[in-house]
């Protein structure tokens, strides 16, 4: 199974974001409250692999229509702001 790509990240402050491209090798989505990007963190220095496009490694949102056994089956996702939270905007409750 190929992990879905993070097609866009709208969170410029993230350490893994460069020009709206996620450079984390894999992100984790979800907690007990919402489809949060748990890989997000803010520091002054950018990180990740500049040649890589981020992928969804795990998704804890079992109620999402794209989730099968905690693996995302969407063709790709967008990460951005849902109010003040940094979430998977592709999340769709089943």
């Amino acid at each position: 199974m190929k992990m879905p790509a993070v097609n866009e990240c709208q969170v410029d402050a993230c350490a893994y974001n460069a020009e709206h491209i996620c450079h984390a090798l894999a992100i984790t989505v979800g907690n007990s409250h919402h489809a949060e990007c748990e890989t997000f963190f803010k520091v002054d220095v950018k990180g990740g692999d500049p040649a890589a496009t981020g992928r969804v490694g795990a998704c804890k949102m079992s109620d999402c229509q794209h989730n099968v056994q905690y693996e995302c089956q969407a063709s790709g996702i967008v990460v951005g702001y849902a109010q003040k939270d940094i979430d998977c905007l592709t999340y769709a409750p089943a």
Side-chain angles (χ1 to χ4, degrees), residues 37-83:
C37 178
E38 289 196 336
T39 308
F40 166 79
F41 73 102
K42 184 177 179 179
V43 293
D44 292 334
V45 178
K46 295 293 183 178
D49 180 351
T53 298
R55 303 255 175 209
V56 180
C59 178
K60 300 178 191 176
M61 301 304 294
S62 61
D63 67 335
C64 180
Q65 68 182 4
H66 303 293
N67 189 315
V68 176
Q69 298 177 330
Y70 301 105
E71 302 291 342
C72 181
Q73 303 296 307
S75 58
I77 71 162
V78 174
V79 173
Y81 292 97
Q83 298 173 0

